[in-house]
Amino acid sequence: MTKGRVFSGARPTGRQHIGNYLGAIQNYVALQEEYECVYCVVDLHALTTLTDTDKLKENTAEMALDWLAAGMDPQKSIIFVQSHVPQVTELHTILSMVTPMGWLIRLPTFKEKVRIQPDNVNYGLLGYPVLMAADITLYKADTVPVGEDQAPHLEFTREIVRRFNNHFGPTLVEPRIKLTPFPRVMGLDGVNKMSKSLDNHIELAASPEEIERRVMTMVTDPQRRYRTDPGRPEVCNVFTFHGFFSPEQVDEIETQCRTAQIGCVECKRTLARNLADRLAPFRERRAELARDPDLVWQVLADGAARATVIARETIAEVKERIGLP
Ligand code: SF4
């Protein structure tokens, strides 16, 4: 390994939205220039909360298509599906033997999940951080990009690695945390994080008409009731989006809003136009990739084959260290 190796995974949530793009995908694309990246669709993790699995396959393909269209490059990175490399479940079992139960039960994320889905508190939910540790260590990743709020999760992986290595001797790579800005993108309601389940999102592949329809529903400054009222851009989600998608106009829009030179309808139209222009190359590339429905699965199969080479090596080293016959 000459460059460091990054691992990151995301659940198969189907077509991606601009919150996914700003919060993760654009970062995935940028990291490819500096690191050898391993990007995984973590379908097994999705099972901890899913009851309905009918759409897993479709959602996996849709998400991977968006990743590819956005610039995640299978020539540079390993892009694959978690369950296509079954060694991860083997390492998960092994790591679970060195993970104290108390650590898992005390994790705030576990308590939160129990609160959210009290009728489905399954073992996988408890063991989720161990599977995550298996994901990272199986591929010998030395760097994991995380937002500040996710750092404790990675610390947990580092503790499992240290425990394993102390017990059996240095085997697994202890990943370092790469603190990365993951902007929290609010949804069209301006109240909740952008999410498909809340239907407050704009898909990356949305048509210009759909983008305009959705942008026009965005909540603005609630105190600006009349066109002549000065606005407060600092409390307006439309303005935050201008920061992302209209960087050259943002100063002008701020002044025009504060002095009531511009109305919210006009302001939203500008945003919709800029957003549609910015996403146009993505839409075209996606449509081109989608023309061959097998292509995405070929990319994922190739990624799994390359991931398996590393996974086999790690599992062999782990077994030897432990003394498994
Ligand atoms: S003019 Fe634009 S920035 Fe100002 S409140 Fe209206 S939508 Fe928000």
Side-chain angles (χ1 to χ4, degrees):
M1 261 196 280
T2 47
K3 300 200 248 181
R5 186 178 287 159
V6 154
F7 177 91
S8 194
R11 291 172 175 229
T13 50
R15 285 183 175 236
Q16 301 290 280
H17 53 65
I18 55 178
N20 300 129
Y21 179 75
L22 295 169
I25 300 171
Q26 68 172 358
N27 195 31
Y28 286 171
V29 174
L31 284 168
Q32 296 180 127
E33 304 308 319
E34 264 183 85
Y35 295 91
E36 182 186 352
C37 296
V38 180
Y39 293 132
C40 183
V41 181
V42 290
D43 54 348
L44 293 172
H45 281 291
L47 300 181
T48 56
T49 48
L50 274 185
T51 44
D52 177 10
T53 55
D54 288 0
K55 291 226 154 109
L56 264 180
K57 198 172 166 190
E58 181 189 328
N59 284 346
T60 297
E62 294 283 11
M63 185 162 105
L65 258 183
D66 280 347
W67 279 6
L68 298 177
M72 289 167 66
D73 183 351
Q75 304 294 326
K76 294 181 184 158
S77 303
I78 297 179
I79 302 170
F80 72 110
V81 179
Q82 186 185 29
S83 67
H84 290 179
V85 184
Q87 284 85 354
V88 76
T89 55
E90 205 174 351
L91 187 57
H92 171 224
T93 303
I94 291 171
L95 294 184
S96 73
M97 308 303 173
V98 297
T99 307
M101 262 302 259
W103 287 9
L104 294 169
I105 289 172
R106 281 196 295 272
L107 276 177
T109 40
F110 174 63
K111 290 181 185 161
E112 177 64 8
K113 287 273 161 61
V114 170
R115 194 186 61 76
I116 294 170
Q117 54 179 68
D119 300 331
N120 183 17
V121 183
N122 52 67
Y123 164 71
L125 210 54
L126 183 69
Y128 183 99
V130 188
L131 182 56
M132 194 176 109
D135 282 322
I136 296 166
T137 53
L138 185 63
Y139 303 107
K140 301 177 192 274
D142 54 20
T143 306
V144 179
V146 286
E148 221 159 320
D149 54 333
Q150 292 289 313
H153 289 200
L154 194 65
E155 199 46 57
F156 188 87
T157 295
R158 286 158 55 86
E159 281 179 24
I160 295 178
V161 169
R162 286 198 289 269
R163 211 172 152 87
F164 183 96
N165 288 351
N166 281 339
H167 198 88
F168 297 108
T171 316
L172 299 173
V173 177
E174 186 177 327
R176 76 179 179 91
I177 297 171
K178 181 176 169 58
L179 274 184
T180 311
F182 287 94
R184 188 177 147 87
V185 181
M186 302 308 284
L188 305 180
D189 52 18
V191 178
N192 299 294
K193 200 175 155 192
M194 187 173 282
S195 140
K196 257 166 104 162
S197 55
L198 295 173
D199 195 24
N200 65 1
H201 65 295
I202 297 174
E203 286 184 353
L204 282 176
S207 65
E209 296 72 30
E210 175 68 2
I211 290 172
E212 172 154 341
R213 195 181 66 74
R214 293 229 153 211
V215 167
M216 294 320 273
T217 68
M218 285 179 81
V219 174
T220 64
D221 174 5
Q223 282 183 23
R224 193 175 186 208
R225 272 182 275 163
Y226 301 104
R227 168 72 179 76
T228 47
D229 291 342
R232 297 173 303 160
E234 67 276 11
V235 300
C236 177
N237 199 26
V238 175
F239 185 72
T240 307
F241 275 60
H242 273 300
F244 295 132
F245 298 105
S246 322
E248 277 128 36
Q249 287 163 279
V250 76
D251 291 342
E252 192 189 344
I253 289 168
E254 180 173 5
T255 310
Q256 289 177 329
C257 170
R258 288 194 194 285
T259 51
Q261 290 174 60
I262 188 176
C264 292
V265 170
E266 192 186 341
C267 186
K268 286 176 175 180
R269 283 213 178 101
T270 304
L271 174 63
R273 231 179 5 254
N274 292 347
L275 193 49
D277 288 351
R278 173 87 171 266
L279 295 180
F282 168 86
R283 264 194 315 277
E284 282 158 26
R285 171 119 180 91
R286 192 189 204 280
E288 198 183 303
L289 292 167
R291 252 177 239 135
D292 177 1
D294 293 335
L295 186 132
V296 72
W297 292 110
Q298 282 160 10
V299 166
L300 294 172
D302 175 62
R306 288 155 63 203
T308 300
V309 173
I310 312 169
R312 285 208 177 116
E313 203 180 283
T314 306
I315 285 290
E317 288 162 5
V318 164
K319 284 180 167 175
E320 195 182 329
R321 278 283 188 195
I322 296 173
L324 285 168

